[in-house]
Amino acid sequence: MSDTHAETVAYVRETMLPQQAPPSGQTGAVKWLRENLFAGWLNTALTVLGALIILWLGTHFLPWFLHGVWNANSLAECREIITSTWGQDATGACWAVIRERWTQFLFGFYPDYLYWRPLLALVLLFAALAPVLFPGAPRALLALTVIYPGLGYLLLWGGSVWFPVAAYLGFVLGYVVFTALTKAGQNLLAPILAVLATILYWLFLAGPVETALESVIPFGMEEVRSNLFGGFVLSITIGVAAIALSLPMGILLALGRRSDMLLVKALSVGFIEFIRGVPLITLLFTASLLLNYFLPPGTNFDIILRVVIMVTLFAAAYIAEVIRGGLAALPRGQYEAADALGLDYWKAMRLIILPQALKISIPGIVSTFIGLFKDTTLVIFVGLLDPLKGITDAVRAAIEWKGIYWEPFIFVGAIFFIFNFAMSRYSMLLERRLRREHR
């Protein structure tokens, strides 16, 4: 019996086998290729088709890039160099136009002896954004963040140093009104009257205050007119200003659209739907041609400021809808938890609701910002020289570069890609940092 039982029991090894390397198809590059490029017949067919397209593009356009000329004084000279170097039928890029006119693409017609001012403004912009975007940045830079709008204006446009100071006094007045009304228990009227007091100060008192300060201590920088702005100085100025202003405005519009107060909700819905239903070009024409008709006689509103206002309103309407989606995605229990803690409306929004809603809305908000920055090229329709069309046409109008086409567009497109790609990667970094389940 025992012999029969022993013959039926499976063999059991008493010692461990030495560790072996995994099969070549289950590790390294082979595994990655199989899972990502050749996982099934459809994936394999698409991979082969994509490789053929890349090969065709490479054979047709790579020589054009490789035969590029950087040192020439005209398009004709570029073509002569390409022909003498690569043959009669060779083609190549004339990058010499970028080397000769790169300052015009970046600064437009800004005075060349003042280039240090927009460059300094750009460096200070990154320093001012650092404590807002990166938690590890020195907190002392927050002081620069607060004063940067006035400092950036002074560097770019120049003029009296008391103009931004007088503008900042409006924020101080609004803060004083808000604090006083909040302490008096008027939580609902406090933000409305604070904003109203600030606007009235800017309309009627900011000018006299600036004049009085200038008469006591005259101090300023050389003025640069807005019609000299162009290129990426113009695009970055409009884009950064509109992004910084449209986000808080979009948050308020989103909250207004979800408000229980009928008038606030109706005004918010009407504004959002009207702005989203009108093309941006129409709003820019309104800023250029019609806005002055609604202002007091003799008012001269700077064209760039008018464009910034309209672009901000346009972006705020779209951001409001993105944030409204984030607010709607939150479970009802979050609102009930805020009520259970005894928080008022603004504290509940600031401490519980908005942080979660904004985290959900990050991809949509950044997409809106990227679209906004690209839409700054539409200012060509109101006479401002954007880098894509305005400056490119100005460069191509010169007799020595007449006939050049692709090189300026590729250069401008590459810079736009760098800025937009940086915004996209930062949004992904922010999403990973705020993802609680990975902490």
Side-chain angles (χ1 to χ4, degrees), residues 21-280:
S24 59
Q26 298 298 322
T27 185
V30 175
K31 178 183 178 183
W32 185 90
L33 290 172
R34 191 184 74 252
E35 292 180 351
N36 295 277
L37 299 180
F38 301 101
W41 69 268
L42 180 60
N43 202 347
T44 301
L46 292 175
T47 299
V48 173
L49 179 62
L52 291 176
I53 293 175
I54 293 174
L55 180 63
W56 182 84
L57 292 174
T59 54
H60 281 73
F61 295 103
L62 189 59
W64 186 79
F65 283 96
L66 294 178
H67 298 168
V69 175
W70 286 92
N71 294 308
N73 296 316
S74 66
L75 179 60
E77 187 176 339
C78 274
R79 290 172 175 170
E80 291 177 1
I81 294 173
I82 293 170
T83 300
S84 62
T85 306
W86 303 101
Q88 186 67 33
D89 298 328
T91 59
C94 187
W95 301 116
V97 64
I98 306 300
R99 185 181 63 84
E100 289 289 325
R101 298 297 185 94
W102 67 272
T103 55
Q104 201 167 350
F105 282 104
L106 296 184
F107 303 102
F109 295 96
Y110 206 90
D112 55 358
Y113 62 92
L114 295 177
Y115 282 167
W116 65 271
R117 281 167 45 175
L119 288 175
L120 180 59
L122 182 63
V123 172
L124 293 178
L125 172 65
F126 291 133
L129 290 176
V132 178
L133 301 180
F134 304 102
R139 297 291 94 183
L141 289 176
L142 284 173
L144 177 61
T145 306
V146 173
I147 67 172
Y148 180 79
L151 183 60
Y153 174 88
L154 190 63
L155 286 172
L156 291 173
W157 276 274
S160 172
V161 72
W162 300 114
F163 177 77
V165 172
Y168 272 109
L169 290 177
F171 291 107
V172 175
L173 175 62
Y175 176 76
V176 171
V177 172
F178 179 82
T179 304
L181 291 175
T182 303
K183 290 181 178 179
Q186 302 294 329
N187 294 331
L188 182 60
L189 289 176
I192 299 174
L193 293 181
V195 172
L196 183 61
T198 302
I199 294 176
L200 291 176
Y201 167 82
W202 285 339
L203 290 176
F204 300 105
L205 295 178
V209 169
E210 178 197 354
T211 303
L213 292 173
E214 178 69 18
S215 63
V216 176
I217 308 177
F219 180 67
M221 304 176 70
E222 180 179 345
E223 275 193 73
V224 178
R225 299 191 312 275
S226 291
N227 61 348
L228 298 179
F229 281 61
F232 282 97
V233 166
L234 178 64
S235 289
I236 294 174
T237 299
I238 296 175
V240 171
I243 287 172
L245 295 173
S246 63
L247 181 58
M249 187 175 180
I251 293 173
L252 293 177
L253 286 171
L255 296 178
R257 183 157 191 166
R258 292 174 57 87
S259 174
D260 294 329
M261 293 183 288
L262 181 60
L263 180 60
V264 173
K265 183 174 183 178
L267 291 175
S268 300
V269 171
F271 175 84
I272 292 171
E273 296 303 328
F274 172 76
I275 294 295
R276 293 175 69 215
V278 177
L280 178 58

